[in-house]
Amino acid sequence: MIALLLLPLLLPWALPPLARRTAERVRPDIALRAITGAAAALALGVVACLGALLLPLALHVPALARLAHLLQPVQAGPAVLAFGSSALAAGALAVCAIAGVRGTAAEVGRLRAAHERVAGLPEAGGMCVLDEDRPDAFALPGLRGAGRIVVTAGMLRALDPSEREALLGHERAHLAARHHLFLALAQLAGWCHPALAAVVPEVSFAAERAADEAAARACGDRRLAARAVGRAALAATPRRDGARQPTLAAGGTTGPVPARVRALLAEGPVRRVIPAALAMALLCTAAGASSLAGSIWLHRGVEIAQGEHPSDRGESTGAP
């Protein structure tokens, strides 16, 4: 049983290389959904298995044992392995919870700060312009409603009119496709397991590539879209106050820009589904099956401890 519950904690380490190949070779919008879905599924499996591994130790607490109506201790395998795994699971769950709370608080704070920067600015077509010389542009999701495109005066001056329209099309695509939701799911998964944290950049890259392709379709010129992305990235500079951009505020200069430009200069987006994408589906299936089997085994152990399976304690099922 313990081995079945430990397997889903190891499988996420196989996802980063698979996600990297998928982001590079599969159509961006499909890659974005596949990678995010796999990361979320594996994160759910990790949390479920950690919770299940915690049960043998938790049910040795007298108050919890009485609450579960246990007549004898739960037998979950060798005591050293069962209790050691339970103790490690408790620590891992605490780390996940702390990382999630701190990360969420920090991201909410950054989003609030970004909204305060644009509060009161006039808006036209869902876009507002910051009077700053530093070139920057990003899609700011709304805290209570629709998001908006934020662009600085410096970025508008750095691009010619056709490049500006291509860059704004990129940002519109982020908001229209709700890419911030995919980024949020990936970030949550990353707080659950270190291997899943390595997948967050691949989700970000896939989101940027999807927005690049949408911008190229909107302006009808892939080379123009590539030039706009490249010039915007060259012009962009870090903020002088050192403040971080919100992770959920996707921008046109985010991610490995040279790879994005090369993809735009290619004939068109890759549309095939490669074995790596299928491998991700098998990975999630294996993690789910292992988690389910381990949970069923653990549930049976609890029922035996409650006296609901007398045959498992050596008693005759035919006795009156």
Side-chain angles (χ1 to χ4, degrees):
M1 178 186 68
I2 297 298
L4 288 172
L5 292 174
L6 289 176
L7 182 60
L9 304 181
L10 301 177
L11 288 177
W13 293 105
L15 183 60
L18 294 175
R20 192 173 305 115
R21 289 179 61 83
T22 301
E24 292 172 352
R25 303 190 181 191
V26 175
R27 201 177 77 183
D29 55 339
I30 296 176
L32 178 61
R33 289 174 172 79
I35 298 170
T36 307
L42 289 174
L44 185 61
V46 166
V47 173
C49 287
L50 289 175
L53 286 169
L54 184 60
L55 274 181
L57 181 61
L59 291 177
H60 268 70
V61 177
L64 294 178
R66 288 193 300 271
L67 186 64
H69 306 293
L70 300 186
L71 301 179
Q72 59 181 342
V74 175
Q75 299 301 319
V80 174
L81 179 60
F83 293 151
S85 299
S86 288
L88 290 175
L93 281 172
V95 170
C96 291
I98 293 171
V101 170
R102 287 182 174 177
T104 300
E107 183 64 15
V108 170
R110 288 191 288 267
L111 283 171
R112 288 186 184 279
H115 278 277
E116 289 173 359
R117 288 175 64 200
V118 300
L121 290 179
E123 182 178 323
M127 183 188 76
C128 60
V129 179
L130 279 172
D131 187 16
E132 295 182 4
D133 292 331
R134 184 182 65 88
D136 196 11
F138 53 91
L140 183 62
L143 291 177
R144 297 182 180 85
R148 62 173 70 179
I149 299 169
V150 180
V151 62
T152 64
M155 180 62 81
L156 293 179
R157 288 193 293 268
L159 305 178
D160 65 32
S162 59
E163 291 168 346
R164 289 177 208 156
E165 188 55 37
L167 183 63
L168 293 178
H170 175 101
E171 305 303 346
R172 291 190 194 99
H174 278 312
L175 292 177
R178 298 181 178 273
H179 287 163
H180 57 281
L181 298 180
F182 294 93
L183 295 171
L185 273 177
Q187 190 66 71
L188 286 171
W191 291 328
C192 295
H193 196 287
L196 299 179
V199 176
V200 176
E202 305 306 329
V203 173
S204 177
F205 176 66
E208 294 304 326
R209 284 284 300 115
D212 288 342
E213 293 296 335
R217 289 193 300 270
C219 68
D221 187 342
R222 299 182 66 82
R223 297 187 66 85
L224 172 60
R227 190 169 72 247
V229 168
R231 290 192 63 183
L234 289 173
T237 56
R239 289 179 59 177
R240 294 179 181 178
D241 57 9
R244 284 182 54 190
Q245 188 86 329
T247 304
L248 305 189
T253 61
T254 304
V257 174
R260 291 170 53 197
V261 170
R262 283 196 302 271
L264 281 169
L265 292 177
E267 291 183 0
V270 180
R271 297 181 181 276
R272 64 180 179 274
V273 177
I274 61 167
L278 298 178
M280 286 197 301
L282 292 175
L283 189 66
C284 295
T285 301
S290 182
S291 300
L292 181 60
S295 299
I296 291 173
W297 195 353
L298 179 61
H299 183 263
R300 181 175 177 80
V302 172
E303 288 184 333
I304 292 172
Q306 291 173 332
E308 296 185 16
H309 289 279
S311 60
D312 291 299
R313 301 196 309 272
E315 300 178 16
S316 173
T317 56

